[in-house]
Amino acid sequence: DAASTVERIIGSFDSGDQQAIRNRFAASFRYVICQRLVPKREGGRVAVLEILKATMRTREYIEKGESEGRSLIDAMRDGALDGMQHFDGELEHLVREGTITHQTAYLFATNPGNLRVALADLPDEEDESVVTRKADLFVEYLGEQAYLTMFERGEFASPPGEVQGPY
């Protein structure tokens, strides 16, 4: 993510030079853009971008370092009007649009616990692979013909083998 990228850049210099690098980087950067390619529900991938823009607040956080209540992620979260965005916020939008599953969002989130809280108002769909396993168990127990008969009567959501995992 963008905050880690800034710290990796600064951390690549000798510890005695790091404060000078922080000051120079804070004064000269315009944007830090990070990307994660996330699997879509229907196949393929979608690019999720995190954008950190140089503002007075972000420059100060880079110069002085992050501390409790003063983090670049908070600045990105609050800086939406300035064009900033953070991974977890974008993952939340993609889940709400139905582009990715909850489970995929949690796997790629910077902070899965906070993302889970943000998505608490949405029902967490059951993982498709679990549905497939359940359908296969019913087929094994009942026999395929009995299962298909029950499916035709609307007692199951899908015929065996048709539901596939998110990838």
Side-chain angles (χ1 to χ4, degrees), residues 41-104:
R41 181 186 300 267
E42 302 299 326
R45 295 189 179 271
V46 61
V48 180
L49 300 177
E50 183 168 79
I51 301 172
L52 173 66
K53 182 180 178 182
T55 64
M56 292 194 58
R57 182 178 179 189
T58 58
R59 289 178 194 278
E60 178 186 349
Y61 289 1
I62 290 172
E63 284 176 6
K64 296 181 180 176
E66 294 185 343
S67 62
E68 188 64 36
R70 296 172 33 123
S71 72
L72 290 173
I73 294 211
D74 292 334
M76 284 184 283
R77 190 176 296 120
D78 297 340
L81 292 176
D82 291 323
M84 289 190 260
Q85 58 191 46
H86 59 104
F87 279 128
D88 292 357
E90 295 306 302
L91 291 169
E92 179 185 352
H93 292 301
L94 291 171
V95 169
R96 291 184 185 283
E97 290 173 353
T99 305
I100 64 173
T101 65
H102 283 75
Q103 296 305 316
T104 301

Side-chain angles (χ1 to χ4, degrees), residues 70-145:
R70 296 172 33 123
S71 72
L72 290 173
I73 294 211
D74 292 334
M76 284 184 283
R77 190 176 296 120
D78 297 340
L81 292 176
D82 291 323
M84 289 190 260
Q85 58 191 46
H86 59 104
F87 279 128
D88 292 357
E90 295 306 302
L91 291 169
E92 179 185 352
H93 292 301
L94 291 171
V95 169
R96 291 184 185 283
E97 290 173 353
T99 305
I100 64 173
T101 65
H102 283 75
Q103 296 305 316
T104 301
Y106 301 145
L107 286 173
F108 285 86
T110 301
N111 189 326
N114 286 352
L115 182 59
R116 191 175 300 274
V117 169
L119 292 171
D121 63 320
L122 284 181
D124 193 353
E125 75 277 347
E126 191 170 29
D127 183 24
E128 290 89 352
S129 60
V130 172
V131 174
T132 300
R133 286 192 298 275
K134 285 182 181 178
D136 290 343
L137 287 173
F138 277 116
V139 168
E140 187 176 313
Y141 179 73
L142 298 172
E144 187 167 357
Q145 189 56 48

